[in-house]
Amino acid sequence: MANISFGKWIGGGLGWVLGGPIGGILGFVFGSFFDNLQNGYEQKGFTPTQEGDFKVSLLVLVAAIMKADGKILKSELNYVKIFLLRQFGQAEADRLLLLLREILRQDLDVDEICEQIQENMEYPSRLQLVHFLLGIATSDGEPHAAEAEVLRRVCLHMGIRQMDFESIKAMFVVKTDSPYRILEVTPEATDEEVKKAYRKMALKYHPDKVTHLGEDVQNAAKEKFQKLNQAYDEIKKQRGII
């Protein structure tokens, strides 16, 4: 494995993830292959997120969610396998799952990992990470207490606004007011406020915000955008808005 070009191996380049706590995790996974690279790629400040950076960040955070309750269930691993297959296709899912299994063996400092992601990843990409994580955490209903706490810490240290987290969560945990939560308004909002909120959220969740992360991630962003449109359509139907 040490001779594999990891950038090509996961279908995208790697940049800032080779430094910091995430680079440390990869160093343990791949041994001397990353020891020298980490020194050369240590970075501070914003750099454009590459497809490889995003996928590695996703795997590390998925591992943190899976390890939250102190045990890794086979059912959770099977769900993640299906999730990766649906999002990225068979070949890429197999490669990512192999890496995930190795990451799961490592001790993870969630706060430091998320702070590295916040420093280097643009906000729309971080929102897409949260969308993926909530999809996994809510696969069997509301996130368990330990998972919910990890998600809270992830969002806090990645700089995710609470209302944005609640908006994405409402796409998976359906309640009577979910359409309003998705639009980040309350049922008491006026029709004009609802329309304004939709326009704002449409810009925030537009799939074009993550085109640089590859077709697979952009397709997932389209699902998020579709959920937004469905929420708006439901509110319009309830209110008779034309």
Side-chain angles (χ1 to χ4, degrees):
M1 187 175 295
N3 293 324
I4 294 174
S5 174
F6 191 71
K8 294 180 180 178
W9 193 68
I10 65 170
L14 287 170
W16 52 264
V17 295
L18 290 178
I22 298 178
I25 294 168
L26 295 179
F28 278 111
V29 172
F30 291 96
S32 61
F33 176 58
F34 276 108
D35 287 345
N36 294 328
L37 286 179
Q38 280 178 236
N39 294 329
Y41 280 87
E42 187 76 31
Q43 296 184 18
K44 293 186 180 296
F46 175 83
T47 55
T49 303
Q50 302 181 72
E51 184 178 354
D53 298 326
F54 182 88
K55 289 179 179 178
V56 169
S57 299
L58 173 62
L59 292 182
V60 172
L61 294 177
V62 166
I65 296 294
M66 293 177 67
K67 290 162 66 77
D69 58 2
K71 55 186 177 181
I72 300 170
L73 301 178
K74 185 176 181 180
S75 59
E76 290 177 327
L77 196 58
N78 286 338
Y79 178 82
V80 172
K81 182 177 181 179
I82 294 170
F83 169 84
L84 293 174
L85 176 63
R86 182 170 66 89
Q87 297 295 337
F88 303 115
Q90 185 69 62
E92 189 73 348
D94 288 345
R95 290 189 286 265
L96 294 173
L97 190 63
L98 180 62
L99 178 55
L100 176 63
R101 290 179 186 274
E102 295 299 321
I103 293 173
L104 284 168
R105 295 190 175 101
Q106 310 302 320
D107 293 328
L108 306 176
D109 188 321
V110 175
D111 297 351
E112 287 190 358
I113 289 165
C114 292
E115 286 165 7
Q116 181 183 2
I117 292 171
Q118 180 185 14
E119 184 177 3
N120 293 283
M121 186 180 290
E122 60 280 4
Y123 196 74
S125 299
R126 282 180 271 152
L127 286 179
Q128 192 58 43
L129 278 179
V130 173
H131 185 261
F132 280 141
L133 293 175
L134 276 166
I136 293 171
T138 59
S139 60
D140 55 354
E142 285 266 11
H144 301 155
E147 293 174 335
E149 172 59 19
V150 171
L151 282 169
R152 185 194 69 79
R153 287 170 57 196
V154 164
C155 289
L156 175 65
H157 292 278
M158 284 206 310
I160 300 297
R161 303 179 190 97
Q162 181 65 27
M163 289 188 68
D164 288 338
F165 172 76
E166 295 296 337
S167 170
I168 297 173
K169 182 180 177 181
M171 297 178 182
F172 297 97
V173 181
V174 179
K175 298 181 180 179
T176 54
D177 63 345
S178 288
Y180 289 96
R181 286 179 176 270
I182 291 172
L183 265 65
E184 298 186 358
V185 293
T186 68
E188 290 72 39
T190 66
D191 290 354
E192 188 57 37
E193 287 172 336
V194 168
K195 293 177 182 178
K196 183 178 179 180
Y198 169 73
R199 291 192 294 268
K200 176 182 176 182
M201 298 303 292
L203 287 174
K204 184 186 297 185
Y205 287 161
H206 200 284
D208 286 353
K209 298 279 189 178
V210 294
T211 53
H212 60 293
L213 297 179
E215 185 177 354
D216 295 331
V217 177
Q218 188 178 20
N219 286 338
K222 289 177 182 177
E223 293 179 15
K224 184 162 88 275
F225 193 68
Q226 185 178 20
K227 292 274 190 180
L228 171 66
N229 286 324
Q230 289 172 350
Y232 185 47
D233 288 342
E234 185 172 341
I235 293 173
K236 288 195 297 182
K237 184 178 179 180
Q238 291 173 358
R239 294 182 172 216
I241 298 175
I242 300 176

